[in-house]
């Protein structure tokens, strides 16, 4: 495994959820179903970045990766966002308020079985940094 990816994964903490933050549902301004407020707000943030010309485009839960040869446990992973930084370059963004054992397994297996794809984890600390832009982004929850 790439040492940089391993260090990033090791830095993630296994946390127990403190309370349910998720408010899944379809958002009128987005026009599609999301699994949480954080995902909805991150989609709004990506829309804002796209309007600013900082990213080319983004898509929500469009790709699913399978971990061949795995017979037990986590056998696939569907990243939250596919973010195109240019017309030919993309990376995946995963919004995680907390990281449980299953989530950590998915990220580790993604790094092992599909190392050619970059996965950026938007954790609680990263999301806190995004909130500074919330007053500029319509419909922020």
């Amino acid at each position: 495994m790439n040492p940089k990816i391993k260090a990033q994964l090791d830095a993630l903490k296994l946390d127990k959820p403190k309370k349910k933050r998720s408010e899944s549902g379809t958002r009128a301004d987005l026009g599609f179903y999301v699994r949480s407020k954080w995902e909805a707000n991150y989609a709004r943030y990506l829309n804002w970045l796209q309007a600013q010309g900082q990213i080319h485009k983004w898509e929500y839960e469009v790709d699913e990766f399978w971990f061949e040869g795995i017979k037990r446990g986590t056998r696939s992973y569907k990243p939250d966002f596919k973010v195109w930084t240019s017309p030919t370059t993309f990376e995946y963004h995963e919004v995680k308020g907390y990281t449980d054992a299953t989530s950590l397994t998915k990220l580790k297996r993604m790094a092992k079985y599909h190392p050619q794809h970059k996965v950026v984890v938007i954790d609680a600390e990263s999301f806190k940094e995004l909130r500074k832009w919330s007053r500029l982004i319509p419909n922020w929850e």
Side-chain angles (χ1 to χ4, degrees):
M1 181 183 299
N2 180 321
K4 187 175 179 182
I5 293 172
K6 183 174 181 349
Q8 185 181 24
L9 290 173
D10 291 342
L12 291 172
K13 296 178 184 172
L14 284 178
D15 297 325
K16 293 183 181 176
K18 293 173 180 74
K19 64 178 184 176
K20 186 176 180 182
R21 295 184 201 174
S22 148
E23 290 187 24
S24 60
T26 300
R27 304 306 201 268
D29 63 311
L30 297 173
F32 60 89
Y33 177 91
V34 292
R35 298 177 194 285
S36 70
K37 262 202 259 191
W38 282 25
E39 285 186 5
N41 286 334
Y42 196 70
R44 293 176 182 113
Y45 174 70
L46 291 173
N47 280 339
W48 183 76
L49 288 178
Q50 187 174 354
Q52 303 299 312
Q54 294 183 38
I55 62 170
H56 179 67
K57 68 178 182 174
W58 63 272
E59 300 169 285
Y60 181 71
E61 292 189 345
V62 294
D63 294 330
E64 186 168 15
F65 296 92
W66 290 89
F67 309 129
E68 299 300 324
I70 298 295
K71 299 195 185 315
R72 297 180 50 202
T74 303
R75 296 175 20 177
S76 68
Y77 168 60
K78 185 182 279 195
D80 294 329
F81 297 94
K82 185 175 188 177
V83 179
W84 294 82
T85 55
S86 76
T88 58
T89 307
F90 63 86
E91 60 192 28
Y92 293 97
H93 292 198
E94 181 69 29
V95 177
K96 286 283 172 218
Y98 62 90
T99 306
D100 60 13
T102 301
S103 298
L104 189 57
T105 298
K106 286 178 183 182
L107 292 169
K108 284 182 177 181
R109 287 185 178 168
M110 184 66 181
K112 179 180 179 180
Y113 289 88
H114 302 281
Q116 71 276 23
H117 295 296
K118 180 179 178 181
V119 177
V120 177
V121 177
I122 310 302
D123 60 8
E125 187 175 322
S126 301
F127 198 82
K128 185 177 177 182
E129 285 294 311
L130 295 179
R131 285 192 183 127
K132 67 183 175 186
W133 302 106
S134 64
R135 62 182 170 71
L136 301 174
I137 301 171
N139 301 308
W140 191 273
E141 297 176 37

